[in-house]
Amino acid sequence: MSESSIDRATQQKLDELIRQEEGDANDYRGILAVFLTLCAVGMSIFHLYAAYEIVPTQILRTIHLAIVLFLVFLTFPLTSRFKNRLMWWDLLIACFSIFVAFYILNGGDDFTDRNTDPLPLDIAIGVGLILMILEGLRRTNGMILVSVTILFILYALFGNYLPAPWTHKGYEIGRFVGFMYMTLEGIYGTALDVSATLIILFTIFGAFLQFTGAGKFFIDFSFAAMGGKSSGVGRTIVLSSFLLGGPSGSGVATTVTVGSVAAPMLDKVGYEKNAAGGLLAAGGLGAIISPPVLGAAAFLIADFLKISYLDVLLMACIPTILFYLGLFIMVEIDVRKYGMKKMSFEAAESAWSLTKKYWFHFFSLISIVVFMMIGFSPIMSVFWATIVSAATSMLRRDTAIISYDWLRGREPFFKGLYQSNLVKALANGSNGVLSIAVTCAGAGLIVGTVTLTGLGLKFSSIVIEYAGGSLLLTAIFTGLVVWVVGLAVPVTASYIICAVIAAPALINLGVPDFAAHMFIFYYAVLSEVSPPTALSPFAAAAICKGDPYKTTLQTWKYVAPAILVPFMFVLGDEGTSLLLMGSTKALANADWLQIGWITFTAAIGIVCLAGGLQGWFIEKTHILERTIMVIAGVALTYPDNWADVVGFAGFTLVLITQLMRRKRNMQPSTS
């Protein structure tokens, strides 16, 4: 059932889009490929060791960045002209990254103590490191993020020439460089710490699930569970995107994996190709907000707020359910709206049969949360979940991380081990984090600048002033800022930038810090729907042979019902109920009746918005019904009792008129 139907030309388009997300990597052959694979495996093993044993913070972060830059410059070419050719300058820069780590670690406490008055050699090496990070950003993420980072650096160096309220005292190059790489506040700050601990471990975990066949199982299970009828195809995409996206945390990867199987079925049941692509991309985007992995930015939330990652998972639960509820309602309306063909698709096996064979994939998926609930730290939880995934994969020959033949001595020892899924998973785990890790290093330059100059507080006061102190207007302005930043840079970078410059505005108006950060995270994810960062819609368009921009608009349609949910987080104290009060401790004393009520109103609000935006509910809606449903949806997502009354009244009115029309349409005509 889950065989890919992608032709060669489409695969090339998809590869190009994935390169846009992860960078245009070289495809080496021979001894060089083996060397880089072994380096990536070594990087994964080192970080797994660092999860189990205590490695001092500065040593871990320094070595992490050194290995990342080493692999980036050997893996990603200067330009496409030098693709698949190892150039002398790449080797030189890669070796310099190792030298920088040696210089920092060899300097000891004396090195960090002189950060306010660095030596000329310190400054020279620091400038070299910053230039390396900028070039690494360009090779993996493109020029836009590099340009944004350079603007922040220029602001730190020359902000004293700007007019009030943007001005600051300005910093000399020595002071700036010393702060950025000789302390744990800039390059080696929070963002890189999260990359060196949680992000890489979760990337390794995701790779283990991929190479033990979990992805294929989740798609097959979703198809079997949702039934083979035409109405079940959309549900299959919603369920498989959730199951597959949870452990992957990647919108593009989830879109491509599900789309390669489901696109032909969507076409057969009557989905227009741009609508089919929009549904696939919307399902993929949900991966970034779905537990247990979410996107890389979720780990940063935990670190910024100094809370447990389990608390972040807790906060993501209800918003994720609401997101996929909106998608599910849109899919159910599609069946009626498009008059989909009555078709049946035979699943190769039943859901029960698949579960009996591959039950351990579900266990791998929830094991992280189980370990955290037992009391393990997030780092130890993902470490042991990875071990569990590897161990349980050995229960079946077709999922084994190391082949049965190799274990029985029927394959050459080194060749069999090198070609095993274990080595592939370890290598992919490290390679998959390179782009994110460089982004985190670049983000360190941005966060360092904001810390040095006080830009966050300045920006906060300006936004509040423009909003006239109104929380609603401040939230709208903040959402727009996140969206605009998200147009230019990936989710991780847009979250980091907005967390340090925009979140203070909401927090200063009394919004709990966790709600402000989840608001920004949610909108950073939704900004991925708009070009030029709309990689998931573009990938879906390539699979479904649709127009990229029309597919992007269709994606907006599918995610739109959930777009107002983040405002519920911040516009009233009761809105934090959707985030389950922000922590396990607060949840213990929570009002569950209030949590249930707020979730219910949000769910009905999403149903209203879905019906209003689709122009269809139980039956086709008139313009007045559409207007009432949209107004009711907006009212229900505003935390106010009178707004809820208006919302429920509007929903009830349309529901009654729709049921009456359906009854009338179903009566046989008498002539």
Side-chain angles (χ1 to χ4, degrees):
M1 140 53 203
S2 59
E3 294 300 318
S4 174
S5 60
I6 297 178
D7 57 49
R8 183 175 296 178
T10 304
Q11 188 61 53
Q12 287 177 344
K13 280 186 187 177
L14 293 174
D15 290 342
E16 187 177 331
L17 286 164
I18 291 170
R19 283 196 295 270
Q20 276 184 251
E21 183 180 52
E22 300 178 356
D24 188 6
N26 291 310
D27 185 19
Y28 290 128
R29 295 284 187 271
I31 191 70
L32 191 53
V34 174
F35 172 73
L36 287 175
T37 298
L38 293 178
C39 286
V41 169
M43 179 179 176
S44 289
I45 291 173
F46 168 73
H47 284 86
L48 287 169
Y49 167 80
Y52 190 76
E53 291 289 342
I54 296 174
V55 175
T57 300
Q58 185 170 8
I59 294 174
L60 178 59
R61 297 182 195 180
T62 305
I63 292 176
H64 174 71
L65 183 59
I67 301 174
V68 164
L69 290 174
F70 180 81
L71 287 174
V72 162
F73 285 103
L74 294 184
T75 303
F76 299 93
L78 180 68
T79 65
S80 56
R81 175 185 164 194
F82 300 108
K83 182 94 184 279
N84 301 330
R85 293 161 59 193
L86 180 61
M87 308 307 295
W88 63 267
W89 53 76
D90 293 328
L91 191 58
L92 190 66
I93 300 171
C95 291
F96 181 68
S97 70
I98 302 298
F99 169 75
V100 171
F102 172 78
Y103 183 80
I104 292 172
L105 297 177
N106 192 53
D109 291 340
D110 290 342
F111 174 79
T112 53
D113 288 345
R114 61 176 184 264
N115 72 83
T116 54
D117 187 24
L119 303 173
L121 182 59
D122 296 334
I123 297 172
I125 291 174
V127 169
L129 176 62
I130 291 171
L131 292 175
M132 269 200 305
I133 291 169
L134 292 174
E135 173 59 12
L137 274 176
R138 188 192 67 80
R139 294 192 186 195
T140 55
N141 289 274
M143 274 305 299
I144 296 177
L145 185 52
V146 174
S147 302
V148 171
T149 309
I150 289 173
L151 283 174
F152 274 90
I153 293 173
L154 292 175
Y155 177 72
L157 296 175
F158 305 109
N160 52 316
Y161 296 108
L162 293 176
W166 299 102
T167 187
H168 64 84
K169 68 176 186 178
Y171 291 90
E172 295 180 354
I173 187 75
R175 177 74 180 95
F176 175 77
V177 170
F179 181 81
M180 286 299 170
Y181 97 112
M182 298 174 75
T183 72
L184 296 179
E185 300 293 328
I187 294 168
Y188 295 105
T190 293
L192 195 72
D193 179 58
V194 174
S195 171
T197 52
L198 286 170
I199 294 177
I200 188 168
L201 292 175
F202 273 88
T203 308
I204 294 168
F205 172 67
F208 269 72
L209 286 183
Q210 176 191 344
F211 283 97
T212 54
K216 179 180 183 300
F217 164 71
F218 290 142
I219 294 176
D220 288 348
F221 174 83
S222 301
F223 180 77
M226 290 293 112
K229 296 179 181 177
S230 55
S231 60
V233 174
R235 297 173 194 157
T236 299
I237 288 166
V238 175
L239 180 59
S240 57
S241 296
F242 170 69
L243 289 174
L244 194 65
S248 85
S250 168
V252 175
T254 304
T255 300
V256 171
T257 306
V258 175
S260 63
V261 177
M265 292 189 287
L266 288 168
D267 180 55
K268 286 177 184 175
V269 299
Y271 267 91
E272 188 268 328
K273 56 191 177 184
N274 295 312
L279 174 57
L280 287 169
L285 281 169
I288 312 176
I289 60 168
S290 298
V293 175
L294 295 92
F299 305 115
L300 291 159
I301 295 174
D303 217 68
F304 272 131
L305 299 178
K306 305 302 178 192
I307 60 176
S308 162
Y309 183 64
L310 183 60
D311 291 339
V312 179
L313 291 185
L314 195 73
M315 289 191 283
C317 286
I318 294 178
T320 301
I321 292 168
L322 293 173
F323 179 88
Y324 281 106
L325 171 68
L327 208 51
F328 184 82
I329 297 297
M330 296 293 271
V331 162
E332 291 299 303
I333 293 174
D334 278 343
V335 176
R336 299 179 178 85
K337 182 178 180 180
Y338 293 120
M340 292 186 175
K341 302 170 188 174
K342 299 290 184 183
M343 299 185 70
S344 292
F345 301 92
E346 287 300 321
E349 291 186 72
S350 68
W352 175 240
S353 173
L354 286 166
T355 303
K356 282 194 294 183
K357 287 183 180 178
Y358 303 106
W359 59 270
F360 49 86
H361 287 315
F362 283 123
F363 184 68
S364 298
L365 195 61
I366 64 169
S367 59
I368 295 174
V369 179
V370 171
F371 282 125
M372 279 194 274
M373 291 180 73
I374 291 171
F376 285 79
S377 70
I379 293 172
M380 288 306 296
S381 295
V382 71
F383 171 83
W384 284 114
T386 305
I387 300 298
V388 166
S389 173
T392 54
S393 76
M394 299 302 296
L395 294 172
R396 290 183 58 87
R397 174 182 286 272
D398 57 337
T399 62
I401 196 86
I402 299 177
S403 77
Y404 284 12
D405 289 337
W406 183 83
L407 290 171
R408 291 169 179 167
R410 295 174 184 171
E411 292 178 359
F413 184 84
F414 290 109
K415 183 180 179 182
L417 182 61
Y418 179 77
Q419 293 177 345
S420 70
N421 285 330
L422 175 63
V423 168
K424 290 175 185 174
L426 289 169
N428 274 47
S430 286
N431 288 328
V433 86
L434 295 181
S435 175
I436 298 172
V438 176
T439 300
C440 288
L445 292 167
I446 294 171
V447 174
T449 295
V450 172
T451 303
L452 266 178
T453 62
L455 178 61
L457 294 175
K458 292 184 178 72
F459 188 85
S460 166
S461 61
I462 291 167
V463 169
I464 293 172
E465 187 178 337
Y466 274 118
S470 164
L471 179 56
L472 176 60
L473 283 178
T474 302
I476 292 171
F477 290 161
T478 304
L480 287 172
V481 168
V482 179
W483 181 70
V484 170
V485 172
L487 294 179
V489 299
V491 171
T492 306
S494 61
Y495 166 74
I496 292 171
I497 293 168
C498 295
V500 294
I501 67 169
L506 292 170
I507 295 168
N508 287 344
L509 288 176
V511 175
D513 54 2
F514 65 87
H517 280 261
M518 284 299 287
F519 178 90
I520 286 169
F521 172 58
Y522 206 107
Y523 274 115
V525 173
L526 290 178
S527 70
E528 283 279 283
V529 184
S530 301
T533 56
L535 299 182
S536 292
F538 279 36
I543 293 171
C544 298
K545 315 295 184 191
D547 177 89
Y549 295 98
K550 289 179 180 176
T551 299
T552 300
L553 288 174
Q554 289 290 329
T555 307
W556 263 118
K557 180 190 80 173
Y558 282 108
V559 302
I563 206 165
L564 295 179
V565 170
F567 280 93
M568 297 184 75
F569 304 165
V570 300
L571 292 182
D573 293 338
E574 62 270 30
T576 56
S577 298
L578 288 179
L579 301 174
L580 293 175
M581 316 315 291
S583 72
T584 48
K585 288 181 181 177
L587 188 60
N589 302 313
D591 182 348
W592 283 96
L593 197 61
Q594 178 176 276
I595 292 173
W597 175 250
I598 294 293
T599 304
F600 178 68
T601 57
I604 299 300
I606 283 172
V607 171
C608 288
L609 287 171
L613 293 168
Q614 281 274 49
W616 204 286
F617 189 39
I618 299 170
E619 298 285 330
K620 184 175 174 62
T621 53
H622 300 317
I623 187 66
L624 180 60
E625 289 175 324
R626 291 190 70 174
T627 305
I628 291 172
M629 289 199 83
V630 170
I631 292 172
V634 172
L636 285 165
T637 52
Y638 189 83
D640 178 83
N641 290 335
W642 282 110
D644 288 346
V645 170
V646 170
F648 279 114
F651 173 69
T652 304
L653 178 63
V654 174
L655 182 62
I656 291 170
T657 60
Q658 287 269 298
L659 289 171
M660 289 172 62
R661 192 177 312 127
R662 185 183 189 192
K663 186 178 180 180
R664 203 164 49 241
N665 291 341
M666 290 178 69
Q667 288 176 350
S669 58
T670 56
S671 54

